[in-house]
Amino acid sequence: MQTIGLVGGMSWESSAAYYELLNRGVEERLGGLHSAKTVLASVEFAQITALQEAEDWDGVAEILAAAAQSVERAGAEFLMLCTTTFHRVAEQVEAAVDIPLVHLADVVAESAKAQGVEVLALLGTKFAMSRTFFTERIARHGLEVTVPDEQHHDELNRIIYDELVHRKVVDDSRKYVVNLIDELWDAGAGGIILGCSELELLVKQADSDLPVFPCTTLHVRAALDRALL
């Protein structure tokens, strides 16, 4: 079993989901008392978010690169960023270490292609939806990625930051997101990317007639495939 390096804290709720899913996954695959070998460096979310809002991406990259280097020194054999938004600096982080990075966008793209889905819609933070760093990486795999109309960005951001990062799951918010998925389906989407870990608390495959691609679950599955070779 390889040791998985995790850079987390964006938010801690997301990191907790990664840790739980990795360990449950190893238990399901190997049985008995088996658990995942992990090294976690957790950054301070408020500090990282303030740098993001100030567009200080060099500052973000410096903090995440240092965290990645610390898990490498601790014995990690490959690296995961437990976030979608901060994949904005994934290439800079990857360049700072000598271990491979399992990039979330590549994992999502491979899963969509395996299901024959060619047009995806991304739900996530306002930042992730309004920038192209994540959608362009997926598009390199020959897929098309859209996002909701801008009028929905603020409300999705509110649901994520005011509710889900605090583990508040609100029925009205679920209805809002499910209705939005139906709109995206009508607009031509063939699958929905749940583009931040916290959205997986709110929306499940049972809530949508479209294929749902939960980023954290897929990222963890790819990590387990690699760690348990």
Side-chain angles (χ1 to χ4, degrees), residues 107-164:
V107 170
V108 172
E110 289 163 6
S111 180
K113 290 173 70 174
Q115 294 193 44
V117 177
E118 297 180 351
V119 181
L120 298 158
L122 171 69
L123 303 181
T125 63
K126 182 178 181 179
F127 182 85
M129 291 185 294
S130 62
R131 307 299 176 92
T132 61
F133 66 94
F134 199 72
T135 55
E136 284 184 352
R137 179 89 178 209
I138 294 175
R140 294 181 197 174
H141 293 262
L143 303 174
E144 179 183 344
V145 189
T146 64
V147 297
D149 290 338
E150 191 173 346
Q151 63 180 326
H152 295 292
H153 290 195
D154 284 334
E155 180 61 11
L156 282 169
N157 214 58
R158 185 198 67 77
I159 290 168
I160 292 167
Y161 282 103
D162 292 353
E163 296 173 3
L164 297 177

Coordinates of all heavy atoms in Angstrom, one line a residue, residues 107-164:
V107 N -9.1 13.3 -13.3 CA -9.9 12.2 -12.7 C -11.4 12.3 -13.2 O -12.0 11.3 -13.6 CB -9.8 12.1 -11.2 CG1 -10.9 11.2 -10.6 CG2 -8.4 11.8 -10.8
V108 N -11.9 13.5 -13.1 CA -13.3 13.7 -13.5 C -13.5 13.5 -15.0 O -14.5 12.8 -15.4 CB -13.8 15.2 -13.1 CG1 -15.2 15.5 -13.7 CG2 -13.8 15.4 -11.6
A109 N -12.6 14.0 -15.8 CA -12.7 13.8 -17.2 C -12.7 12.3 -17.6 O -13.4 11.8 -18.5 CB -11.5 14.5 -17.9
E110 N -11.8 11.5 -17.0 CA -11.7 10.1 -17.3 C -13.0 9.4 -16.9 O -13.4 8.5 -17.6 CB -10.5 9.5 -16.5 CG -9.1 10.0 -17.1 CD -8.0 9.7 -16.2 OE1 -8.2 9.1 -15.1 OE2 -6.9 10.2 -16.5
S111 N -13.6 9.8 -15.8 CA -14.8 9.2 -15.4 C -16.0 9.5 -16.4 O -16.8 8.6 -16.7 CB -15.2 9.6 -14.0 OG -16.4 9.0 -13.5
A112 N -16.0 10.7 -16.8 CA -17.1 11.1 -17.7 C -16.9 10.4 -19.1 O -17.9 9.9 -19.6 CB -17.0 12.6 -18.0
K113 N -15.7 10.3 -19.5 CA -15.4 9.5 -20.8 C -15.8 8.1 -20.7 O -16.3 7.5 -21.6 CB -14.0 9.7 -21.2 CG -13.6 11.1 -21.7 CD -12.2 11.3 -21.9 CE -11.7 10.6 -23.1 NZ -10.3 10.9 -23.4
A114 N -15.5 7.5 -19.5 CA -15.9 6.1 -19.3 C -17.4 5.9 -19.4 O -17.8 4.8 -19.7 CB -15.3 5.6 -17.9
Q115 N -18.2 6.9 -19.0 CA -19.6 6.8 -19.1 C -20.2 7.3 -20.4 O -21.4 7.4 -20.6 CB -20.3 7.5 -17.9 CG -19.9 6.9 -16.5 CD -20.8 7.4 -15.4 OE1 -22.0 7.6 -15.6 NE2 -20.2 7.7 -14.3
G116 N -19.3 7.8 -21.3 CA -19.8 8.2 -22.6 C -20.4 9.6 -22.5 O -21.2 10.0 -23.4
V117 N -20.1 10.4 -21.5 CA -20.7 11.8 -21.4 C -19.7 12.7 -22.0 O -18.5 12.8 -21.6 CB -20.9 12.1 -19.9 CG1 -21.4 13.5 -19.8 CG2 -22.0 11.1 -19.3
E118 N -20.2 13.6 -22.9 CA -19.3 14.5 -23.6 C -19.5 15.9 -23.2 O -18.6 16.8 -23.5 CB -19.5 14.3 -25.1 CG -19.1 12.9 -25.7 CD -19.4 12.8 -27.1 OE1 -20.0 13.7 -27.8 OE2 -18.9 11.8 -27.7
V119 N -20.7 16.3 -22.7 CA -21.0 17.6 -22.3 C -21.3 17.6 -20.8 O -22.2 17.0 -20.3 CB -22.1 18.2 -23.1 CG1 -22.4 19.7 -22.6 CG2 -21.9 18.2 -24.6
L120 N -20.5 18.4 -20.0 CA -20.6 18.4 -18.6 C -21.0 19.8 -18.1 O -20.6 20.8 -18.8 CB -19.3 18.0 -17.9 CG -18.9 16.6 -18.2 CD1 -17.4 16.4 -17.9 CD2 -19.7 15.6 -17.3
A121 N -21.6 19.9 -17.0 CA -21.9 21.2 -16.4 C -21.2 21.2 -15.0 O -21.4 20.3 -14.2 CB -23.4 21.5 -16.2
L122 N -20.5 22.3 -14.7 CA -19.8 22.3 -13.4 C -20.5 23.2 -12.4 O -20.9 24.3 -12.6 CB -18.4 23.0 -13.6 CG -17.6 23.3 -12.4 CD1 -17.2 22.1 -11.6 CD2 -16.4 24.2 -12.7
L123 N -20.8 22.6 -11.2 CA -21.3 23.3 -10.1 C -20.2 23.4 -9.0 O -19.6 22.4 -8.7 CB -22.5 22.6 -9.4 CG -23.7 22.3 -10.3 CD1 -24.8 21.6 -9.5 CD2 -24.3 23.6 -11.0
G124 N -20.0 24.6 -8.5 CA -18.9 24.8 -7.5 C -19.0 26.2 -6.9 O -20.0 26.8 -6.9
T125 N -17.8 26.6 -6.4 CA -17.7 28.0 -5.9 C -17.9 29.0 -7.0 O -17.6 28.7 -8.2 CB -16.4 28.2 -5.2 OG1 -15.3 28.1 -6.1 CG2 -16.2 27.2 -4.0
K126 N -18.2 30.2 -6.7 CA -18.3 31.3 -7.7 C -17.0 31.4 -8.4 O -16.9 31.6 -9.6 CB -18.6 32.6 -7.0 CG -18.8 33.8 -7.9 CD -19.2 35.0 -7.1 CE -19.4 36.2 -8.1 NZ -19.9 37.4 -7.3
F127 N -15.9 31.3 -7.7 CA -14.6 31.4 -8.3 C -14.3 30.3 -9.3 O -13.9 30.6 -10.4 CB -13.5 31.4 -7.2 CG -12.1 31.5 -7.8 CD1 -11.6 32.8 -8.0 CD2 -11.3 30.4 -8.1 CE1 -10.3 33.0 -8.6 CE2 -10.1 30.6 -8.7 CZ -9.6 31.8 -8.9
A128 N -14.6 29.1 -8.9 CA -14.4 27.9 -9.8 C -15.2 28.0 -11.1 O -14.8 27.6 -12.2 CB -14.6 26.6 -9.1
M129 N -16.4 28.5 -10.9 CA -17.3 28.6 -12.1 C -17.0 29.8 -13.0 O -17.3 29.8 -14.2 CB -18.8 28.7 -11.6 CG -19.3 27.4 -11.0 SD -21.1 27.5 -10.5 CE -21.1 28.8 -9.2
S130 N -16.4 30.9 -12.4 CA -16.2 32.1 -13.2 C -14.8 32.1 -13.9 O -14.5 33.0 -14.7 CB -16.4 33.3 -12.3 OG -15.5 33.3 -11.3
R131 N -14.0 31.2 -13.5 CA -12.6 31.1 -14.1 C -12.5 29.8 -14.9 O -13.4 28.9 -14.9 CB -11.5 31.1 -13.0 CG -11.6 32.2 -12.0 CD -11.5 33.6 -12.7 NE -11.7 34.7 -11.7 CZ -10.7 35.2 -11.0 NH1 -9.5 34.8 -11.2 NH2 -11.0 36.2 -10.2
T132 N -11.5 29.7 -15.7 CA -11.4 28.6 -16.6 C -10.3 27.5 -16.3 O -10.2 26.5 -17.1 CB -11.1 29.1 -18.1 OG1 -9.9 29.8 -18.0 CG2 -12.2 30.0 -18.5
F133 N -9.6 27.7 -15.2 CA -8.5 26.8 -14.9 C -8.9 25.3 -14.8 O -8.2 24.4 -15.2 CB -7.8 27.2 -13.6 CG -8.6 27.1 -12.3 CD1 -8.6 25.9 -11.6 CD2 -9.5 28.1 -12.0 CE1 -9.4 25.8 -10.4 CE2 -10.3 28.0 -10.8 CZ -10.2 26.8 -10.1
F134 N -10.2 25.1 -14.3 CA -10.6 23.7 -14.1 C -11.3 23.2 -15.3 O -11.1 22.1 -15.8 CB -11.6 23.7 -12.9 CG -11.8 22.3 -12.3 CD1 -10.8 21.7 -11.6 CD2 -13.0 21.6 -12.5 CE1 -10.9 20.4 -11.1 CE2 -13.2 20.3 -12.0 CZ -12.1 19.7 -11.3
T135 N -12.2 24.0 -15.9 CA -12.9 23.6 -17.1 C -12.0 23.4 -18.3 O -12.2 22.4 -19.1 CB -14.0 24.6 -17.5 OG1 -13.4 25.9 -17.6 CG2 -15.1 24.7 -16.4
E136 N -11.0 24.2 -18.4 CA -10.0 24.0 -19.5 C -9.2 22.7 -19.4 O -8.9 22.1 -20.4 CB -9.1 25.2 -19.6 CG -9.8 26.5 -20.2 CD -8.8 27.6 -20.4 OE1 -7.6 27.5 -20.0 OE2 -9.2 28.6 -21.0
R137 N -8.9 22.4 -18.2 CA -8.1 21.1 -17.9 C -9.0 20.0 -18.4 O -8.5 19.0 -19.0 CB -7.7 21.0 -16.5 CG -7.0 19.8 -16.1 CD -5.5 19.9 -16.3 NE -4.8 18.7 -15.9 CZ -3.5 18.7 -15.4 NH1 -2.9 19.8 -15.3 NH2 -2.9 17.5 -15.1
I138 N -10.3 20.0 -18.0 CA -11.2 18.9 -18.5 C -11.3 18.9 -20.0 O -11.3 17.9 -20.6 CB -12.5 19.1 -17.8 CG1 -12.4 18.8 -16.3 CG2 -13.6 18.1 -18.3 CD1 -13.7 19.1 -15.5
A139 N -11.4 20.1 -20.6 CA -11.6 20.2 -22.0 C -10.4 19.6 -22.8 O -10.6 19.2 -23.9 CB -11.8 21.7 -22.4
R140 N -9.2 19.6 -22.2 CA -8.1 19.0 -22.8 C -8.3 17.5 -23.1 O -7.6 16.9 -24.0 CB -6.8 19.1 -21.9 CG -6.3 20.5 -21.7 CD -5.1 20.4 -20.8 NE -4.8 21.7 -20.3 CZ -3.8 21.9 -19.4 NH1 -3.0 20.9 -19.0 NH2 -3.6 23.1 -18.9
H141 N -9.3 16.9 -22.5 CA -9.6 15.5 -22.7 C -10.7 15.3 -23.8 O -11.2 14.2 -24.0 CB -10.1 14.9 -21.4 CG -9.1 14.8 -20.3 ND1 -8.4 13.6 -20.1 CD2 -8.7 15.7 -19.4 CE1 -7.5 13.9 -19.1 NE2 -7.7 15.1 -18.6
G142 N -11.0 16.4 -24.5 CA -11.9 16.3 -25.6 C -13.4 16.5 -25.2 O -14.3 16.1 -25.9
L143 N -13.6 17.0 -24.0 CA -15.0 17.2 -23.5 C -15.3 18.7 -23.5 O -14.5 19.6 -23.5 CB -15.0 16.6 -22.0 CG -14.7 15.2 -21.9 CD1 -14.6 14.8 -20.4 CD2 -15.6 14.3 -22.6
E144 N -16.6 18.9 -23.4 CA -17.2 20.3 -23.3 C -17.7 20.5 -21.9 O -18.4 19.6 -21.4 CB -18.3 20.5 -24.3 CG -18.9 21.9 -24.3 CD -20.1 22.1 -25.2 OE1 -20.2 21.2 -26.2 OE2 -20.8 23.0 -25.1
V145 N -17.3 21.6 -21.3 CA -17.8 21.9 -19.9 C -18.4 23.3 -19.9 O -17.8 24.3 -20.4 CB -16.6 21.9 -18.9 CG1 -17.1 22.0 -17.5 CG2 -15.7 20.7 -19.1
T146 N -19.6 23.3 -19.4 CA -20.4 24.6 -19.2 C -20.5 24.9 -17.7 O -20.2 24.0 -16.9 CB -21.7 24.5 -19.9 OG1 -22.5 23.5 -19.2 CG2 -21.6 24.2 -21.4
V147 N -21.0 26.1 -17.4 CA -21.3 26.4 -16.0 C -22.7 27.1 -16.0 O -23.2 27.5 -17.1 CB -20.3 27.4 -15.5 CG1 -18.9 26.8 -15.4 CG2 -20.2 28.7 -16.2
P148 N -23.4 27.1 -14.9 CA -24.7 27.8 -14.8 C -24.5 29.3 -15.2 O -23.5 29.9 -15.1 CB -25.1 27.7 -13.3 CG -24.2 26.5 -12.8 CD -23.0 26.6 -13.6
D149 N -25.7 29.9 -15.5 CA -25.7 31.3 -15.8 C -25.2 32.1 -14.6 O -25.4 31.6 -13.4 CB -27.1 31.8 -16.1 CG -27.6 31.3 -17.5 OD1 -26.8 31.0 -18.3 OD2 -28.8 31.2 -17.7
E150 N -24.6 33.2 -14.8 CA -24.0 34.0 -13.7 C -24.9 34.3 -12.6 O -24.5 34.5 -11.5 CB -23.3 35.2 -14.3 CG -22.4 36.0 -13.4 CD -21.7 37.1 -14.0 OE1 -21.7 37.2 -15.3 OE2 -21.2 38.0 -13.3
Q151 N -26.2 34.4 -12.9 CA -27.2 34.8 -11.9 C -27.3 33.8 -10.8 O -27.7 34.1 -9.7 CB -28.6 34.9 -12.6 CG -29.1 33.6 -13.2 CD -30.4 33.8 -13.8 OE1 -31.3 34.5 -13.3 NE2 -30.7 33.0 -14.9
H152 N -26.8 32.6 -11.0 CA -26.8 31.5 -10.0 C -25.5 31.5 -9.2 O -25.5 30.7 -8.2 CB -27.0 30.1 -10.6 CG -28.3 30.0 -11.3 ND1 -29.5 29.9 -10.6 CD2 -28.7 29.9 -12.6 CE1 -30.5 29.8 -11.5 NE2 -30.0 29.7 -12.7
H153 N -24.5 32.1 -9.6 CA -23.2 32.0 -8.9 C -23.2 32.4 -7.5 O -22.6 31.7 -6.6 CB -22.1 32.7 -9.7 CG -21.8 32.1 -11.1 ND1 -20.7 32.5 -11.8 CD2 -22.5 31.2 -11.8 CE1 -20.7 31.8 -12.9 NE2 -21.8 31.0 -13.0
D154 N -23.8 33.5 -7.2 CA -23.8 34.0 -5.8 C -24.5 33.1 -4.9 O -24.1 32.8 -3.7 CB -24.4 35.4 -5.7 CG -23.4 36.5 -6.2 OD1 -22.2 36.3 -6.2 OD2 -23.9 37.6 -6.7
E155 N -25.6 32.6 -5.3 CA -26.4 31.7 -4.5 C -25.7 30.4 -4.2 O -25.7 29.9 -3.1 CB -27.8 31.4 -5.0 CG -28.7 30.5 -4.2 CD -29.0 31.1 -2.8 OE1 -28.7 32.2 -2.5 OE2 -29.6 30.3 -2.0
L156 N -25.1 29.8 -5.2 CA -24.3 28.6 -5.0 C -23.2 28.8 -4.1 O -22.9 28.0 -3.2 CB -23.8 28.1 -6.4 CG -24.8 27.3 -7.2 CD1 -24.2 27.1 -8.6 CD2 -25.2 26.0 -6.6
N157 N -22.5 30.0 -4.2 CA -21.4 30.3 -3.3 C -21.9 30.4 -1.9 O -21.3 30.0 -0.9 CB -20.8 31.6 -3.8 CG -19.3 31.7 -3.5 OD1 -18.5 30.8 -4.0 ND2 -18.8 32.7 -2.8
R158 N -23.1 31.1 -1.7 CA -23.7 31.2 -0.4 C -24.0 29.9 0.2 O -23.7 29.6 1.4 CB -24.9 32.1 -0.4 CG -25.5 32.4 0.9 CD -27.0 32.8 0.8 NE -27.8 31.7 0.4 CZ -28.2 30.7 1.2 NH1 -27.8 30.6 2.4 NH2 -29.0 29.8 0.7
I159 N -24.5 29.0 -0.5 CA -24.9 27.7 0.0 C -23.6 26.9 0.4 O -23.6 26.3 1.5 CB -25.6 26.8 -1.1 CG1 -27.0 27.4 -1.3 CG2 -25.7 25.4 -0.7 CD1 -27.7 26.9 -2.6
I160 N -22.6 27.0 -0.3 CA -21.3 26.4 0.0 C -20.7 27.0 1.3 O -20.3 26.2 2.2 CB -20.3 26.4 -1.2 CG1 -20.9 25.6 -2.3 CG2 -18.9 25.9 -0.8 CD1 -20.2 25.8 -3.7
Y161 N -20.5 28.3 1.3 CA -19.7 28.9 2.3 C -20.5 29.2 3.6 O -19.9 29.1 4.7 CB -19.1 30.2 1.8 CG -17.9 30.0 1.0 CD1 -17.9 30.1 -0.4 CD2 -16.6 29.6 1.5 CE1 -16.8 29.9 -1.2 CE2 -15.5 29.4 0.8 CZ -15.6 29.5 -0.6 OH -14.5 29.3 -1.4
D162 N -21.8 29.5 3.5 CA -22.6 29.8 4.7 C -23.2 28.6 5.3 O -23.6 28.6 6.5 CB -23.7 30.8 4.3 CG -23.1 32.2 4.0 OD1 -21.9 32.4 4.1 OD2 -23.9 33.0 3.5
E163 N -23.4 27.5 4.5 CA -24.1 26.3 5.0 C -23.2 25.1 5.0 O -22.9 24.5 6.1 CB -25.3 26.1 4.2 CG -26.4 27.2 4.3 CD -27.5 27.0 3.3 OE1 -27.6 26.0 2.6 OE2 -28.4 27.9 3.3
L164 N -22.8 24.6 3.9 CA -22.2 23.3 3.7 C -20.8 23.2 4.4 O -20.5 22.2 5.0 CB -22.1 22.9 2.3 CG -23.4 22.8 1.6 CD1 -23.2 22.5 0.1 CD2 -24.3 21.7 2.2

